[in-house]
Amino acid sequence: MPTKKEILEDYRLAMESREISYIGRKEVFMGKAKFGIFGDGKELAQIALAKVFRNGDFRSGYYRDQTFMMAIGQLTSQQFFAQLYAHTDVDAEPASAGRMMNGHFGTRTIREDGEWNDLTKMKNSASDVSCTAAQVPRLLGFAYASKLYRENPALHTATKFSVKGNEVAYGTIGNASTAEGHFFETMNAAGVLQVPLVMAVWDDEYGISVPNKYQTTKSSISKAMAGFQRDAENKGIEILTVNGWDYVSLVETFEKAEKIAREDHVPVLVHVLEMTQPQGHSTSGSHERYKSKERLDWENQYDCNKQFRQWILDQNIATDQELDVIEDECRELAKNARNAAWNEYRDSLQKDIDTAVSVIDSMADRSRSRNKLLSIAKSLREGLNINKLDVTRASKKALRLVREEPSKSRDMLIFWLKELEQKRHDEYSSVLYSETKYSALKVPTVAPEYSEQSKMVDGREVMQACFDAALENDPRVFAIGEDVGKIGDVNQGFAGLQEKHGEIRVTDTGIRETSIIGQGIGAALRGLRPIVEIQYLDYLLYTIQTLSDDLASLSYRTKGGQRAPLIIRTRGHRLEGIWHSGSPMGMIINAIRGVYVLVPRNMTQAAGMYNTMLKSDDAALIVESLNGYRLKERLPDNVGEYCVSIGQPDVLREGRDITVVTYGSMCRIVMEAASQLAEYGVELEVIDAQTLLPFDVNHSIVESVKKTNRLIVADEDVPGGASAYILQQVLEEQKAYQYIDNLPLTITAKDHRPAYGSDGDYFSKPNAEAIFDKAYSVMNEFDPVNYPSIY
């Protein structure tokens, strides 16, 4: 039982959190903030949860958890309002530097110099994700990391990240979001793995306007999941229920859950019932529209803060007057925090407003558009709730008016506006990828070394040797995936490595792609170096939401405050049939900007890319060529050390006539066509892009186009897929359009997926004959005498 002092401090915190929710809603309606979503009604359960949250533990929650973050000392009321106002100063708003809407929390695990903080001395929170249940997959990874840190003795020296796996991963989720597949898949995996995970469900019986009877079997997630309950004969999860207004029971329940998870490494579901949401879902609507009067009356009576107050009075812990004083103080604290955050936000903007007004006023002195310029300046000077965009808009409007009037003031405004654009880039567009000294772009190239002893082996053996070296050299490296362990994956890249390095390092999983990715993200956020396998490229469709909304935006949405250097391994291209042979690269590169996409043409290049990424702090998807595992390659002597530079294309064949850009398995097909074309006097310059994200960082492809004046992009994706992206990069970004003498062409797969069989593959995807015909037709158009039409 908490002490009297602790109880009154809990009441103070609950009331302060409630007050900032109330004020936050008003700020949105006053136009000072764009949107508001708050944690009112959830205060008491979150305070109870915070009591068992220790240094080193990790939270993966959602946008109702402000009280919890305040209780663990990782959020102040002023920071809460700074996020509401989207203040881009990371010191004022450390969770996201104004990049995420309010209610999205996270701690900064990475220092400005790129080094890790000591996570065992912090109360840690992953950066929140809005999408329902999107926080759940990585929760499995946080808990799984504790299992690895406990069971792998080689990791016991990693004292900056774990105290021998003693950490618990805590998840929070609303009742409606438990209907998502992410939740069921992750809880099933947690029960299989037996990891220290506590999942708290905040149940207010609605998902916006939809009641539980439309959400969940039996209208209760704990009843629906009763089959997961562990018993004397079977491992599983522990399921606990408690009411969200019952202070004593909440404290006791979370103490029990924490003990089970931390000591026994058993996952626990805590279903917190009878919670309320006094202000409704968000500022976008009113819950009076869909809740009955009886329900609203019940919510008013069973508001957790009111129930807490009554319990304090019933227990003679404090008087009405004493609690009134606390509430008055909390209202004042909340108002002061609001004022301080607003003033700090406005002060950061005022200097830009003053500069723009001053220069525009100066331009007006001798301008034919004097009155219009003065009006623009006045609007900036006197307008309500002026934003940064208003400053930029006003400055550009002013420059349009004086476009024919040279002056020092005009030059000054142009110069200042360019500086401002750089500042806005830092505030709103920086750190999509790592910008630290550990960036993948900064890993130096190490060439593969060969000797007379270097053997010709199957490509799969190159991968096997690469992974063996990675596991040997770094105890933080581990691999998980379907069939990865016992049989060493379906293509034998990990063959024999489980037996050599142990099941804890090379581990089979169930068929559950989304939570495999989450398992990797969470573990990477805790300092480990996971390689997670998605068996086929097509299966990324199961994972794309988690990859896109969580991993790909992680560095960006925390402005470099968190990183998860996860490597996703998969394989694709050229397998025959609809389901395992897709090349949806356009979808991938557009959905996961923030994750590097590497497309090696063979296993030697793939191994070098793995080595590079393991030295970096970036995340990457590496797509191996599915038909390359049994092709012979020479095994480098330094298979564990050589590194392929990221973003550097490779010229596979020099030629004078046409530049052909391709990647992955298409390289072999294009090279075959190039050999055939050479017999007819057409010399292709074949360039392997090697990586799609990033793409040709030094703009080397344009140099080839300058020489050939012709461009073809060969790609296995659908028309307009990755080929459109490559053309945009080469023609627009590298400005190669000015050197092109013919219409740039793309050679792609058909609109449909590949049909089954060798014939189906041939007539569905680009082949050597198609490349020959297209390239030859380009030369026929240019010089029909020397290259007469074939057809």
Side-chain angles (χ1 to χ4, degrees):
M1 180 71 174
T3 64
K4 174 181 177 178
K5 179 181 179 182
E6 187 178 350
I7 290 167
L8 293 181
E9 285 302 310
D10 288 346
Y11 186 71
R12 180 181 298 276
L13 177 58
M15 295 311 299
E16 182 181 353
S17 181
R18 179 65 62 86
E19 283 301 319
I20 65 176
S21 292
Y22 288 158
I23 293 174
R25 186 177 180 87
K26 293 175 183 176
E27 294 294 278
V28 174
F29 292 150
M30 288 175 64
K32 292 167 68 176
K34 194 75 174 177
F35 179 79
I37 195 160
F38 309 105
D40 47 300
K42 314 293 189 290
E43 293 91 352
L44 211 56
Q46 293 178 22
I47 288 170
L49 174 59
K51 291 181 183 296
V52 297
F53 195 88
R54 300 184 190 175
N55 283 348
D57 289 347
F58 265 85
R59 163 194 173 270
S60 185
Y62 80 129
Y63 43 70
R64 303 290 184 196
D65 289 348
Q66 71 200 44
T67 310
F68 173 82
M69 294 299 292
M70 295 168 74
I72 64 170
Q74 297 302 315
L75 177 72
T76 67
S77 290
Q78 186 170 333
Q79 289 170 341
F80 171 89
F81 285 111
Q83 189 174 66
L84 189 69
Y85 304 137
H87 195 167
T88 54
D89 185 337
V90 74
D91 293 324
E93 203 281 270
S96 75
R99 294 182 176 186
M100 292 196 289
M101 70 181 184
N102 86 295
H104 289 69
F105 312 111
T107 53
R108 303 192 73 77
T109 57
I110 304 297
R111 303 198 307 253
E112 286 188 10
D113 63 1
E115 301 294 343
W116 289 86
N117 286 314
D118 188 335
L119 304 187
T120 67
K121 296 179 179 178
M122 298 171 54
K123 291 182 169 65
N124 304 286
S125 172
S127 173
D128 285 349
V129 184
S130 283
C131 315
T132 53
Q135 73 273 27
V136 181
R138 67 184 180 209
L139 176 66
L140 181 67
F142 289 140
Y144 186 67
S146 288
K147 180 184 180 79
L148 295 180
Y149 280 122
R150 176 176 284 191
E151 297 183 11
N152 183 0
L155 292 174
H156 290 177
T157 57
T159 55
K160 199 174 185 178
F161 298 100
S162 177
V163 182
K164 296 182 179 179
N166 193 46
E167 299 78 28
V168 174
Y170 292 91
T172 66
I173 192 170
N175 52 289
S177 293
T178 63
E180 293 276 15
H182 290 3
F183 177 83
F184 282 95
E185 182 178 317
T186 298
M187 293 306 295
N188 176 63
V192 170
L193 292 169
Q194 292 293 283
V195 290
L197 178 156
V198 175
M199 173 62 80
V201 180
W202 309 142
D203 192 344
D204 56 31
E205 300 188 18
Y206 284 83
I208 306 184
S209 66
V210 181
N212 274 350
K213 67 180 180 179
Y214 297 121
Q215 306 275 4
T216 311
T217 298
K218 300 181 181 179
S219 298
S220 166
I221 192 61
S222 54
K223 291 178 181 178
M225 295 187 66
F228 285 64
Q229 174 69 52
R230 64 176 181 159
D231 54 40
E233 288 78 35
N234 300 286
K235 293 180 179 180
I237 68 174
E238 185 63 39
I239 300 176
L240 307 173
T241 60
V242 62
N243 289 328
W245 47 264
D246 187 340
Y247 177 75
V248 173
S249 295
L250 283 164
V251 171
E252 291 175 348
T253 299
F254 280 112
E255 285 177 348
K256 181 178 180 180
E258 182 255 357
K259 182 179 176 66
I260 292 170
R262 198 179 306 275
E263 295 182 4
D264 301 333
H265 272 211
V266 170
V268 184
L269 174 71
V270 180
H271 187 189
V272 184
L273 301 157
E274 298 193 1
M275 302 191 94
T276 67
Q277 203 156 271
Q279 298 188 115
H281 175 264
S282 67
T283 55
S284 64
S286 169
H287 60 160
E288 285 83 4
R289 291 179 301 161
Y290 50 85
K291 290 179 182 175
S292 68
K293 182 180 183 300
E294 291 74 21
R295 173 68 192 187
L296 292 169
D297 289 343
W298 180 89
E299 289 193 11
N300 182 55
Q301 180 182 354
Y302 280 89
D303 181 307
C304 63
N305 287 8
K306 288 185 178 180
Q307 289 287 321
F308 192 20
R309 178 184 174 112
Q310 188 59 51
W311 178 81
I312 291 172
L313 294 173
D314 291 345
Q315 299 297 313
N316 296 317
I317 294 170
T319 65
D320 268 321
Q321 292 78 10
E322 289 173 319
L323 295 182
D324 286 345
V325 169
I326 289 174
E327 291 180 19
D328 288 342
E329 290 173 349
C330 287
R331 292 188 188 96
E332 192 67 22
L333 280 170
K335 290 177 183 176
N336 290 340
R338 183 267 316 273
N339 293 338
W342 179 252
N343 291 336
E344 194 172 67
Y345 167 72
R346 292 297 302 170
D347 288 346
S348 70
L349 179 56
Q350 194 61 49
K351 182 179 178 182
D352 290 338
I353 295 173
D354 292 343
T355 299
V357 168
S358 174
V359 180
I360 294 170
D361 278 342
S362 178
M363 286 196 311
D365 287 343
R366 298 182 180 180
S367 174
R368 295 189 298 269
S369 303
R370 172 182 170 81
N371 290 338
K372 290 182 179 179
L373 289 168
L374 290 177
S375 176
I376 291 172
K378 182 180 179 181
S379 296
L380 277 181
R381 187 187 301 112
E382 300 177 4
L384 293 175
N385 299 334
I386 297 295
N387 293 317
K388 294 172 183 176
L389 65 89
D390 298 310
V391 176
T392 296
R393 281 177 174 170
S395 299
K396 290 189 174 184
K397 285 181 180 179
L399 286 171
R400 293 170 192 168
L401 292 170
V402 298
R403 65 192 184 279
E404 296 177 347
E405 300 174 4
S407 69
K408 288 184 178 179
S409 296
R410 176 175 175 267
D411 292 342
M412 185 184 300
L413 186 59
I414 292 171
F415 178 78
W416 177 75
L417 195 57
K418 288 180 179 178
E419 284 190 330
L420 198 63
E421 288 174 352
Q422 291 177 350
K423 181 180 178 182
R424 298 296 179 249
H425 174 83
D426 174 70
E427 291 172 336
Y428 298 107
S429 299
S430 60
V431 207
L432 179 59
Y433 302 94
S434 172
E435 296 178 6
T436 74
K437 61 187 176 183
Y438 299 111
S439 163
L441 300 180
K442 298 178 181 178
V443 176
T445 303
V446 177
E449 297 176 359
Y450 299 97
S451 65
E452 292 180 358
Q453 285 72 44
S454 301
K455 297 184 294 183
M456 291 296 293
V457 298
D458 287 346
R460 63 180 179 81
E461 295 178 76
V462 177
M463 298 311 308
Q464 180 190 34
C466 168
F467 294 139
D468 187 17
L471 291 161
E472 189 72 41
N473 295 336
D474 189 345
R476 299 174 301 162
V477 174
F478 68 92
I480 61 171
E482 300 159 13
D483 298 303
V484 163
K486 185 73 172 179
I487 68 170
D489 87 49
V490 292
N491 293 102
Q492 299 291 284
F494 280 95
L497 298 186
Q498 183 183 83
E499 184 177 359
K500 179 176 181 180
H501 296 281
E503 189 174 351
I504 198 67
R505 303 287 303 284
V506 183
T507 309
D508 282 317
T509 70
I511 299 176
R512 50 176 182 82
E513 284 82 6
T514 297
S515 58
I516 289 172
I517 294 295
Q519 201 169 332
I521 294 172
L525 274 161
R526 290 195 58 188
L528 296 172
R529 299 307 307 252
I531 300 172
V532 304
E533 179 172 309
I534 302 301
Q535 198 162 87
Y536 294 107
L537 184 61
D538 306 70
Y539 295 170
L540 281 181
L541 286 167
Y542 287 98
T543 75
I544 205 71
Q545 187 277 323
T546 299
L547 288 173
S548 182
D549 290 331
D550 193 356
L551 182 62
S553 72
L554 179 64
S555 177
Y556 171 78
R557 73 178 188 268
T558 62
K559 203 179 183 185
Q562 293 185 4
R563 69 180 179 216
L566 172 64
I567 298 176
I568 305 106
R569 180 194 185 212
T570 189
R571 53 190 66 84
H573 315 306
R574 307 315 298 195
L575 184 65
E576 299 162 5
I578 289 174
W579 306 118
H580 295 343
S581 54
S583 299
M585 302 307 299
M587 176 196 74
I588 292 165
I589 60 179
N590 286 298
I592 64 171
R593 302 285 171 101
V595 174
Y596 286 139
V597 177
L598 316 183
V599 282
R601 65 183 178 270
N602 58 35
M603 302 308 156
T604 301
Q605 295 301 100
M609 291 175 182
Y610 282 104
N611 292 336
T612 297
M613 296 312 304
L614 286 169
K615 293 179 184 294
S616 83
D617 60 359
D618 280 300
L621 169 71
I622 301 180
V623 184
E624 298 166 18
S625 296
L626 186 53
N627 58 359
Y629 293 109
R630 286 172 176 77
L631 298 181
K632 295 297 183 182
E633 299 183 31
R634 203 174 178 197
L635 179 64
D637 296 340
N638 58 338
V639 69
E641 288 81 38
Y642 73 91
C643 296
V644 172
S645 290
I646 304 303
Q648 306 284 349
D650 196 1
V651 177
L652 304 185
R653 178 186 179 117
E654 294 188 359
R656 65 179 182 272
D657 293 321
I658 305 173
T659 298
V660 181
V661 181
T662 191
Y663 61 89
S665 294
M666 280 297 295
C667 289
R668 285 191 291 274
I669 295 167
V670 173
M671 289 293 282
E672 179 186 348
S675 296
Q676 295 176 14
L677 283 159
E679 296 175 15
Y680 293 85
V682 180
E683 294 293 340
L684 301 186
E685 179 139 301
V686 182
I687 299 178
D688 176 9
Q690 296 212 92
T691 68
L692 297 180
L693 294 177
F695 184 85
D696 191 8
V697 294
N698 293 326
H699 291 189
S700 62
I701 292 174
V702 70
E703 299 304 317
S704 174
V705 175
K706 287 179 183 179
K707 177 174 62 173
T708 65
N709 306 120
R710 301 176 186 89
L711 175 64
I712 292 176
V713 174
D715 174 31
E716 285 194 358
D717 202 353
V718 296
S723 57
Y725 162 76
I726 293 172
L727 283 176
Q728 183 270 333
Q729 289 286 300
V730 177
L731 297 180
E732 182 182 340
E733 184 70 21
Q734 299 187 17
K735 296 179 173 54
Y737 67 90
Q738 58 193 317
Y739 307 108
I740 299 284
D741 289 341
N742 73 295
L743 178 70
L745 299 177
T746 61
I747 302 174
T748 67
K750 303 295 186 182
D751 284 330
H752 54 77
R753 297 196 182 193
Y756 173 66
S758 297
D759 287 341
D761 173 74
Y762 183 87
F763 291 108
S764 299
K765 288 198 168 187
N767 52 64
E769 287 71 34
I771 294 165
F772 183 104
D773 288 347
K774 279 237 181 180
Y776 189 87
S777 69
V778 169
M779 300 307 295
N780 168 253
E781 180 183 352
F782 164 68
D783 184 358
V785 174
N786 289 311
Y787 303 98
S789 177
I790 298 175
Y791 304 108

